[in-house]
Amino acid sequence: MASTTSHRRALAAAAVLLCTTTGTAACSSPGGDGGSSSPATGRTVPSGATAPQPDGTGALPPGAGAPGIGDPDFPSDGNGGYDVARYRLVLGYDPATRHLSGTAGIRAKATQELTRFNLDLSGFTVGRVTVDGRAAAFERSGTELTVIPGRPLPEGADFTVEVAYAGEPKPVTGSSNLGTYGFIPTRDGAFVTCEPNGAKTWFPGNDHPADKALYEFEITVPEGITALANGELTGEPVTRGGKTTYSWREDHPMVTYLATMTLGKFTLREGRTASGIKNLAAVDPRFRGSLDKLYTLSGKITDYWATVFGPYPFSSTGGVVDDFSAGYALENQTKPMYGGFSPGEGIIAHELAHQWFGNSLSIKRWKDLWLNEGFATYAEWLWEEHQGDATAEQTFRLHYAAPAGDAIWKYAPGRARPDDLFNDSVYTRGGMTLHALRRKIGDRDFFELLKTWNREHRYGYVTTEEFTALAEKISGKDLDALFDAWLFQESKPAA
Ligand code: TRP
Ligand code: ZN
């Protein structure tokens, strides 16, 4: 538990500007098969139109998809005008040269007429882009890749984009409260943890949680290296000419930041939990001694959460310990990843609770992050209570004892700040909010609320307003004052 807290604190410690645009504006021409109608050079804008602003606020040419999905705190994250249904990532990586190459196939539906639309991609050289099999023009600017199909896509059209790209992936750095995230090369592979917006460091897509999709991964690595991605292996790995290809598939909706292709030497243990859920634990050889504990605890905790939160939403559970010393963990869908430490019960309980809160139920706007982190933190307290250690009430009191001048009371967790998203308040005061609610409405209504919340929004999107409304409906109580004091005031709530 001590390590859980210090990892969390380490994350929360400093400030960061997450929405910097670090990408390079590399442009190259699409393949010359004659299918494209305009050259893909530079940042040309149709005459008479105003250049689209990277923050999505400027006027767009007619039929252009917006360069942001509409999250005011992260204006250039994600994109507008389409909805992704499925990603198919066919990628090769060589740890020795740090070279990533391959194609991303994206099936999507146009939600408006599209003369052009954006994908998010950071770095890489884009070799060729096709839309429905025909070469399309494209432009690069910062982390935006604009695709200009040969002819406009009508509203409602299902279409496929293929992007061939290659280069050395560069993780997001310089964000001091998150350390390094995204595709992080390691000695023997890569550690890939992308919250909040680092998926663009390894594949082009709609990089914001408000657009979930299904995923297929076909990952080729040097023989002897294991490639771990979300969901299930669809067959035995195939080795040919010194390279092995792993095919994984996540068949449940997933947000971009939960996708992973973590690579390296791993020791695996596979089986099922007591209730029958597939369970896979993988550890870097340096953490060989942690394998059985990770496997056993992950299984036990997943089964327990299913009794508290409702049925497990995905087809397998487990965990991965890599030797990259991130000092943090991420709840990657079906495979939480622990960066460079042997996880204890608290952090395993936290990351597995995210499979319900964050992964199955996902936020539409980053300001609602307490719906992920406050709930996962409260789950740690529930796990301790279940173990017969501290009760949630005792843990609540411990944190509530922080003096009125403490920073936690100055940061309103119901409104996560874009420059300090993962503040301790979002975690701890978010968890305290749930305990204050439990005290007010009683255990029976509180636990019914957690289950109903999951049932009603399984695989979907949630907002704070929806949660407070459901809490009022189930309890029959007016909870405005409670939620206002705990979530939205920059001061210590009264006892
Ligand atoms: N969501 C993680 C947690 O469970 C914390 C986190 C935020 C993170 N951003 C990250 C972890 C990036 C890894 C990489 O607390
Ligand atoms: Zn968390």
Side-chain angles (χ1 to χ4, degrees):
M1 273 313 300
S3 77
T4 302
T5 306
S6 61
H7 292 304
R8 186 74 25 67
R9 289 281 146 73
L11 259 184
V16 58
L17 194 69
L18 289 160
C19 47
T20 52
T21 50
T22 50
T24 50
C27 292
S28 49
S29 302
D33 71 353
S36 68
S37 61
S38 58
T41 49
R43 312 171 56 180
T44 50
V45 171
S47 57
T50 310
Q53 298 303 303
D55 66 358
T57 56
L60 295 170
I69 206 168
D71 188 334
D73 291 334
F74 294 86
S76 64
D77 280 5
N79 305 287
Y82 63 92
D83 205 329
V84 178
R86 182 181 286 274
Y87 293 94
R88 178 172 162 74
L89 307 176
V90 180
L91 298 171
Y93 185 71
D94 182 356
T97 60
R98 296 190 167 187
H99 189 76
L100 179 81
S101 65
T103 62
I106 301 168
R107 287 178 38 77
K109 186 186 271 299
T111 56
Q112 62 171 73
E113 191 205 16
L114 286 174
T115 54
R116 49 198 283 148
F117 60 88
N118 281 20
L119 299 168
D120 302 306
L121 182 67
S122 177
F124 300 106
T125 300
V126 173
R128 179 179 155 84
V129 178
T130 65
V131 174
D132 291 332
R134 294 178 199 201
F138 63 93
E139 298 169 1
R140 309 283 313 266
S141 174
T143 60
E144 300 292 337
L145 165 63
T146 302
V147 177
I148 305 135
R151 52 176 103 104
L153 296 159
E155 179 179 347
D158 291 308
F159 64 99
T160 304
V161 193
E162 273 211 4
V163 179
Y165 62 107
E168 182 178 334
K170 294 276 197 275
V172 182
T173 54
S175 62
S176 44
N177 76 342
L178 289 174
T180 299
Y181 65 96
F183 188 107
I184 304 166
T186 61
R187 210 174 334 120
D188 60 357
F191 183 70
V192 182
T193 51
C194 299
E195 192 181 18
N197 52 12
K200 61 172 68 63
T201 66
W202 63 284
F203 67 94
N206 199 11
D207 195 10
H208 187 282
D211 190 2
K212 295 190 187 197
L214 311 185
Y215 287 71
E216 283 172 69
F217 306 87
E218 202 179 296
I219 303 165
T220 301
V221 286
E223 188 175 357
I225 298 300
T226 300
L228 300 167
N230 312 86
E232 313 311 317
L233 274 177
T234 57
E236 288 297 309
V238 178
T239 300
R240 206 178 292 126
K243 291 181 173 202
T244 307
T245 300
Y246 292 81
S247 298
W248 292 90
R249 186 161 73 202
E250 174 52 56
D251 259 335
H252 298 92
M254 180 165 78
V255 307
T256 49
Y257 74 76
L258 295 169
T260 190
M261 59 172 284
T262 286
L263 318 173
K265 295 202 166 76
F266 285 106
T267 309
L268 271 52
R269 180 168 168 192
E270 278 178 276
R272 286 185 187 268
T273 71
S275 82
I277 301 165
K278 281 173 122 183
N279 187 10
L280 171 63
V283 298
D284 182 279
R286 194 152 82 75
F287 291 92
R288 179 68 187 79
S290 304
L291 181 64
D292 288 338
K293 184 180 162 200
L294 175 68
Y295 176 85
T296 306
L297 277 174
S298 299
K300 206 165 106 182
I301 294 172
T302 302
D303 280 348
Y304 179 62
W305 286 153
T307 72
V308 181
F309 306 142
Y312 184 65
F314 307 121
S315 49
S316 64
T317 186
V320 178
V321 180
D322 202 354
D323 70 342
F324 172 71
S325 297
Y328 54 59
L330 184 67
E331 63 265 24
N332 288 334
Q333 193 151 308
T334 69
K335 289 177 189 66
M337 293 191 176
Y338 307 91
F341 63 98
S342 177
E345 305 207 1
I347 198 160
I348 295 175
H350 179 112
E351 305 310 332
L352 289 172
H354 273 309
Q355 304 305 310
W356 284 262
F357 305 106
N359 300 11
S360 173
L361 277 58
S362 305
I363 53 175
K364 262 192 228 167
R365 298 290 177 255
W366 285 108
K367 70 180 168 71
D368 289 332
L369 184 62
W370 84 283
L371 292 173
N372 296 3
E373 300 302 348
F375 283 62
T377 301
Y378 195 61
E380 294 177 46
W381 305 354
L382 289 175
W383 178 253
E384 281 186 67
E385 181 166 293
H386 174 64
Q387 292 301 103
D389 298 335
T391 62
E393 173 69 19
Q394 287 169 324
T395 308
F396 171 88
R397 286 182 189 208
L398 194 76
H399 293 295
Y400 187 73
D406 195 281
I408 201 166
W409 309 123
K410 297 213 177 82
Y411 185 118
R415 210 273 169 247
R417 301 178 193 169
D419 61 349
D420 189 11
L421 209 48
F422 296 91
N423 187 283
D424 183 36
S425 173
V426 175
Y427 287 76
T428 305
R429 190 169 156 187
M432 292 166 82
T433 302
L434 290 173
H435 192 73
L437 174 65
R438 179 179 169 189
R439 275 178 163 183
K440 173 92 175 177
I441 69 177
D443 277 13
R444 207 199 49 195
D445 284 355
F446 179 76
F447 288 105
E448 185 189 323
L449 170 62
L450 294 186
K451 278 199 170 131
T452 306
W453 180 237
N454 272 287
R455 196 176 55 244
E456 288 189 352
H457 299 285
R458 197 167 157 94
Y459 308 130
Y461 307 96
V462 288
T463 64
T464 297
E465 295 68 39
E466 287 167 337
F467 181 72
T468 57
L470 185 64
E472 292 197 329
K473 185 176 157 201
I474 285 179
S475 66
K477 289 198 159 87
D478 179 348
L479 301 168
D480 286 352
L482 181 144
F483 284 121
D484 183 60
W486 277 98
L487 291 176
F488 298 112
Q489 294 305 313
E490 294 175 4
S491 56
K492 184 171 177 173

